[in-house]
Amino acid sequence: MRILFILMLAGSALVAVACRQSTTVPGSSAGMTEGSTGATQTGNTTQTEEGSSMATENKVTKTDEEWRKTLTDEQYRILRKKGTERAFSGDYWNTKMPGAYVCAGCGQELFSSEHKFDSGTGWPSYYQPAMPDHVTTESDRTFGMKRTEVLCSRCGGHLGHVFPDGPEPTGERYCINSAALRFVEQGKDRGPGTEQ
Ligand code: FE
């Protein structure tokens, strides 16, 4: 009787593991949008483990002094000090050419012209990131507002904020500072450090 009970227990444990695997895989590759921090992916599948370990290997960490040397004053103020550029003042709010928007700090691809739309705000706006796991989000309660901050998942640079008033198909509006981005026209070399 006791052996039967142990066998049943082991069986239910296997089912539980299988269920977790089946829900982890799609969750890690799609559907991670606003609100999902994605900072701690602890999936059990090989696919997820590879993904998170690669993300860790690719992390870009620099000292404050190093960032000051490698970034312009405006890039440093926005990416590292969570600043905001003036509306209609940046390089990309009205850019309509096809291409990729990579992180000005580390080169990771963040947004695509395919998802860019004219929000009328004076900041480059996208309804989704190029890859769900290339950005992370954090709650931001500065300036008496409740907003969701958007950061580069590789270097932790501040990019802007995401709001739930965007167009279809996501209904989200990623409001991003031009100075946090570097535009690479379609077909052009993205430069070092821009592998996906
Ligand atoms: Fe970055």
Side-chain angles (χ1 to χ4, degrees), residues 67 79 103-108 110 152-157 159:
W67 282 122
L79 282 165
C103 178
C106 73
Q108 173 163 254
L110 298 173
C152 171
S153 66
R154 185 193 273 170
C155 71
L159 307 174

Side-chain angles (χ1 to χ4, degrees), residues 54-69:
M54 275 178 67
T56 307
E57 285 170 18
N58 285 336
K59 287 268 192 272
V60 171
T61 49
K62 292 183 182 180
T63 65
D64 194 56
E65 195 180 343
E66 286 170 330
W67 282 122
R68 275 184 189 275
K69 283 180 186 167

Side-chain angles (χ1 to χ4, degrees), residues 12 40 44 47 50 59 69 75 87 100 111 120 149 169 195:
S12 61
T40 52
N44 293 331
Q47 184 183 335
E50 278 178 2
K59 287 268 192 272
K69 283 180 186 167
Q75 287 170 340
F111 296 97
E149 181 187 3
E195 71 282 354

